Amino acid sequence: MGKSALASRYFNLHHHRYEYVAMFKVGLDIASGFAINLKYPLQLPFGSASELFGIAINKLSNLDGKKLLIVDDVQNVEEQLSLLEEIIKLRQSDYEIIFTSREQYDGIKPMVLEGLPIQKARELFTIHYPSDEIEKIDKIIHYLDFHTYFIKLTAIALKKQPHTVTLESIYHDFETKNFEEMSSGNEKSFYELLDRLFENKTVLEDETNLLFLKRLAIFPSTQISFEELKTLLFYTEEVLQQMLNRLTSHGWIIQTADGYKLHQILKRYLLESYTIEFNQISQTVGFLSRMLERMNQLFDASNQETESTEEIIETRELNLRYLYLSSEIPYRTKVSDTIRTLLIQQATGYQNYGEYSKALKLWEIIKNIDEHIHGKEHPDTATSYNNIGAVSYTHLTLPTKRIV
């Protein structure tokens, strides 16, 4: 179990003990993480990420009762020390605070996630790659830093690629320092190992496999059901099952009770190593477009009372799920303009229907796209800021009962 999964497990088990709870990822930018995730719960005003971070901290400190705050996946700790210290001060306001990170900071008491015990790690390795060379296996496990996912992936690679990857060759590469010993704080070591394990591209030489993985990599690293994949990726049920079975057996895809997931490390590896072109995901974008168009039709129809409330609610919830699954497409491909147009349609639809808080969330995404592509001084970015301000004003001046 990884750091985020463990934090989520703690959250689900203990949230009932607190008056207020929150858990969200911040990554490389703590200020933006707080501004985006707490904007609506705390009714933050319009402003820059750094300004909103300060306001959020102040509002959080004034909440009554016992609180739990889990700040997930903190990166670049050294560059964000001042922000971390501001968050830590919330402990004086009856907060229990948990950070998850691959890095450490002297001001935070670490709870290091221990790897598997050597016996369990050895069992995991030999389940996928039976061998009596226990000494070499134990050495490799130590070099892998007892990382469960990479122990499994390495063993599967040995089994699937016996002519190109051997126990001796992996052991030799670590011993001679051809690539770095695995370290949870050094993603370079992850990618070096992946390059070594997949250097002959057994899986990726097959264009069908590569295309499937590239399509899957545009989604968040979360469980996606078989039915959702069939709808989003436009494979027949038989072909989709064959692809999932093949890639799961190679360790590229993780199967869970809730569906299938591309591990975030492999996801980043694919996105950094391969370009995703628009024509490779055009059907998915087209599907999203149709969903948004239907959503806007329902918004219009609801005002004329020509559609049932049940259909409106059902379509809206389904659309929000697919919108979440497609939320990273603008940053990973060359289709930002297309997605931006669709998001504008959706945001406008929510405004017309009076769902201003949801419209604001979408305008925030659009603004982030504009800043990412054009920078803060571009006219499109300025327009997005104006739209956020206009909707925020309408939202905050409506009677409370109208606020969604």
Side-chain angles (χ1 to χ4, degrees):
M1 183 178 288
K3 55 184 174 53
S4 297
L6 186 61
S8 179
R9 175 73 171 161
Y10 182 91
F11 182 90
N12 291 330
L13 286 175
H14 300 289
H15 66 85
H16 62 278
R17 296 165 43 199
Y18 304 89
E19 271 68 51
Y20 294 93
V21 294
M23 175 177 175
F24 49 86
K25 291 190 176 185
V26 294
L28 295 167
D29 191 342
I30 291 176
S32 292
F34 269 67
I36 292 171
N37 288 284
L38 297 177
K39 184 176 180 65
Y40 305 103
L42 295 179
Q43 293 291 294
L44 300 178
F46 175 71
S48 67
S50 59
E51 291 170 339
L52 295 184
F53 173 80
I55 296 171
I57 291 294
N58 183 56
K59 288 198 170 193
L60 288 172
S61 67
N62 289 320
L63 294 176
D64 294 324
K66 194 174 182 181
K67 284 89 57 178
L68 171 66
L69 174 62
I70 299 179
V71 184
D72 189 27
D73 194 29
V74 181
Q75 301 174 32
N76 280 2
V77 167
E78 289 297 326
E79 296 180 13
Q80 304 194 83
L81 287 181
S82 61
L83 300 180
L84 282 173
E85 288 167 356
E86 289 299 311
I87 298 169
I88 292 170
K89 290 178 183 177
L90 289 173
R91 291 187 299 186
Q92 302 169 10
S93 302
D94 204 15
Y95 274 84
E96 180 177 336
I97 305 172
I98 297 174
F99 297 96
T100 73
S101 179
R102 293 197 180 100
E103 305 167 44
Q104 289 193 22
Y105 167 51
D106 290 339
I108 300 174
K109 180 182 178 181
M111 183 185 73
V112 179
L113 296 185
E114 298 294 340
L116 291 173
I118 186 62
Q119 182 62 36
K120 292 291 185 182
R122 192 186 299 148
E123 287 176 10
L124 176 62
F125 195 102
T126 54
I127 283 172
H128 297 283
Y129 183 72
S131 172
D132 57 4
E133 296 188 67
I134 302 302
E135 186 177 341
K136 286 183 180 176
I137 289 175
D138 287 355
K139 269 284 192 180
I140 289 172
I141 288 170
H142 277 88
Y143 281 128
L144 293 174
D145 199 26
F146 289 81
H147 196 298
T148 304
Y149 180 65
F150 276 99
I151 290 172
K152 179 180 177 180
L153 202 60
T154 302
I156 290 174
L158 286 166
K159 180 179 179 180
K160 296 287 185 180
Q161 306 173 44
H163 302 298
T164 55
V165 181
T166 66
L167 199 64
E168 179 62 38
S169 66
I170 293 177
Y171 175 76
H172 180 267
D173 280 340
F174 276 125
E175 286 285 288
T176 58
K177 302 190 182 304
N178 283 345
F179 50 77
E180 296 181 52
E181 187 172 338
M182 289 281 291
S183 167
S184 59
N186 181 7
E187 288 199 352
K188 179 185 175 185
S189 62
F190 295 166
Y191 298 152
E192 284 184 347
L193 181 61
L194 289 171
D195 277 331
R196 177 69 181 91
L197 294 182
F198 306 121
E199 65 178 359
N200 68 332
K201 310 299 183 192
T202 302
V203 173
L204 302 183
E205 278 184 343
D206 185 325
E207 288 295 328
T208 305
N209 291 337
L210 180 57
L211 179 58
F212 184 89
L213 288 167
K214 288 166 73 172
R215 287 173 172 169
L216 196 58
I218 67 174
F219 303 122
S221 184
T222 188
Q223 284 81 16
I224 306 177
S225 73
F226 183 87
E227 288 301 318
E228 287 173 334
L229 288 172
K230 188 171 71 171
T231 301
L232 287 165
L233 300 181
F234 293 86
Y235 289 96
T236 66
E237 189 167 318
E238 181 181 0
V239 171
L240 177 60
Q241 193 64 69
Q242 290 174 352
M243 294 294 302
L244 291 170
N245 289 344
R246 184 188 314 153
L247 293 168
T248 300
S249 71
H250 279 275
W252 282 84
I253 293 176
I254 301 168
Q255 185 174 5
T256 69
D258 299 320
Y260 298 85
K261 173 184 176 180
L262 184 67
H263 195 284
Q264 60 179 346
I265 293 173
L266 273 180
K267 169 187 166 77
R268 290 199 292 269
Y269 174 76
L270 286 164
L271 292 172
E272 292 191 13
S273 303
Y274 299 92
T275 300
I276 301 172
E277 302 292 346
F278 174 70
N279 65 329
Q280 295 173 328
I281 58 167
S282 58
Q283 287 181 299
T284 299
V285 175
F287 168 77
L288 177 60
S289 176
R290 291 189 294 274
M291 288 289 292
L292 293 171
E293 184 178 351
R294 179 58 182 153
M295 195 69 209
N296 289 330
Q297 289 173 355
L298 287 174
F299 280 133
D300 294 337
S302 66
N303 293 329
Q304 303 170 20
E305 299 184 350
T306 59
E307 297 281 354
S308 69
T309 303
E310 289 78 11
E311 184 184 1
I312 293 172
I313 293 173
E314 181 181 351
T315 305
R316 178 174 60 202
E317 296 307 314
L318 182 64
N319 194 45
L320 287 172
R321 168 64 175 167
Y322 285 130
L323 187 61
Y324 163 68
L325 291 175
S326 303
S327 62
E328 296 188 11
I329 291 177
Y331 303 100
R332 302 301 186 188
T333 69
K334 300 177 180 178
V335 299
S336 56
D337 288 341
T338 303
I339 296 295
R340 182 181 184 277
T341 301
L342 301 180
L343 291 173
I344 288 173
Q345 293 174 3
Q346 179 74 75
T348 303
Y350 277 132
Q351 285 175 233
N352 293 339
Y353 195 56
E355 300 208 22
Y356 297 103
S357 63
K358 291 179 180 177
L360 276 170
K361 291 180 182 179
L362 295 184
W363 284 120
E364 196 74 41
I365 294 173
I366 295 163
K367 184 264 293 181
N368 290 339
I369 293 172
D370 291 338
E371 284 190 353
H372 182 79
I373 301 298
H374 303 298
K376 293 185 176 182
E377 306 301 323
H378 194 275
D380 285 349
T381 307
T383 300
S384 296
Y385 273 107
N386 286 336
N387 287 328
I388 291 172
V391 178
S392 297
Y393 178 80
T394 304
H395 182 192
L396 294 174
T397 54
L398 284 173
T400 303
K401 65 180 181 181
R402 293 281 304 281
I403 297 176
V404 180

